[in-house]
Amino acid sequence: MSKSIAVIDYGMGNLRSVSKAIEHVAGAHDKIHVTDDPELILQADRVVFPGQGAARDCMAAISKHHLNRAVLKAAETKPFLGICMGMQVLMRFSEENQGTPLMGLFEGQVKHFPESRDAEGHRLKIPQMGWNRVKQTLDHPLWEGIDDDTRFYFVHSYYVDPEDRELVAGTTDYGIPFTSVIARDNLFATQFHPEKSADAGLRLLQNFVNWDI
């Protein structure tokens, strides 16, 4: 049976890479729509919410495209994958720009990495940019076929700190341990970019396309 997959376009995401990666793993008859149409998003069988850039700009763009309701409704009712900023804005508040209110689907904050050093004493660069391991802390269908401690590709200066620790489905160390994946019911969201994470990222996207909640 064919599926429709909406990739939300609010002008702030690596949309071509995300949509091409999903096309690569989707079925021949699946339909991928890169769209800012709220109705098309709500009609889709599953939704991908990518994003990058600053939190305040992201929230302004979501409002400009009249996507607040559609994003929250999709996140509550159908298979939903948040990526990078598409994960962070699900929290209540970000430290970025001296404080930015977010969408508030989950209680928690988005915090800036503190200055820290690696095991050899070298200062860790911010943003974290490159490959890092993800420790799987929750059994989940989207981890199927992906080994624990697999490396994924990150680009970010901020990380999520959810109040409900039962949301945490993966953690990563970058000077401090931080939440790199959250999951609840129909929602799965990653700080890393699966579309840039080689075979493991493609497997995660394939698992999402085939996810039967």
Side-chain angles (χ1 to χ4, degrees):
M1 182 176 177
S2 64
K3 299 176 286 291
S4 61
I5 305 165
V7 179
I8 298 176
D9 177 9
Y10 56 100
M12 291 188 64
N14 192 16
L15 298 176
R16 179 172 174 80
S17 294
V18 173
S19 61
K20 288 298 181 183
I22 294 171
E23 287 176 10
H24 183 74
V25 300
H29 300 292
D30 292 338
K31 305 295 184 184
I32 293 92
H33 305 281
V34 179
T35 180
D36 66 349
D37 183 339
E39 292 305 315
L40 191 56
I41 292 166
L42 292 174
Q43 291 168 10
D45 296 312
R46 53 202 65 219
V47 172
V48 180
F49 184 30
Q52 58 190 27
R56 182 172 295 172
D57 293 341
C58 178
M59 290 302 299
I62 291 170
S63 295
K64 178 181 177 181
H65 289 261
H66 308 290
L67 290 171
N68 301 66
R69 175 183 169 273
V71 170
L72 289 173
K73 186 71 172 176
E76 293 172 341
T77 60
K78 59 187 66 191
F80 183 97
L81 176 63
I83 299 174
C84 195
M85 183 59 69
M87 171 185 177
Q88 292 185 7
V89 296
L90 301 176
M91 297 294 122
R92 176 71 62 186
F93 181 82
S94 175
E95 292 181 346
E96 194 169 1
N97 303 117
Q98 298 181 325
T100 300
L102 303 176
M103 301 192 77
L105 182 63
F106 301 118
E107 293 296 334
Q109 295 191 25
V110 179
K111 299 181 177 180
H112 193 271
F113 276 120
E115 288 192 9
S116 55
R117 298 179 183 272
D118 63 19
E120 287 74 40
H122 302 123
R123 179 174 291 176
L124 293 172
K125 295 181 179 179
I126 302 172
Q128 175 184 199
M129 185 178 300
W131 297 83
N132 205 341
R133 298 184 187 277
V134 175
K135 177 70 176 177
Q136 299 171 18
T137 61
L138 181 71
D139 288 334
H140 196 280
L142 266 65
W143 288 136
E144 183 179 350
I146 300 172
D147 292 336
D148 195 13
D149 286 327
T150 291
R151 291 180 178 271
F152 291 88
Y153 190 82
F154 290 81
V155 182
H156 65 124
S157 300
Y158 292 78
Y159 64 95
V160 301
D161 185 19
E163 290 187 8
D164 183 357
R165 305 312 294 175
E166 292 185 0
L167 280 172
V168 181
T171 62
T172 299
D173 284 300
Y174 194 69
I176 60 169
F178 69 92
T179 298
S180 52
V181 185
I182 61 173
R184 173 172 289 173
D185 301 328
N186 57 294
L187 180 145
F188 193 92
T190 70
Q191 184 60 66
F192 59 81
H193 289 266
E195 76 280 5
K196 298 181 179 180
S197 296
D199 290 345
L202 289 175
R203 180 57 190 263
L204 189 146
L205 291 174
Q206 184 176 48
N207 290 342
F208 173 71
V209 169
N210 296 327
W211 187 15
D212 186 13
I213 62 169

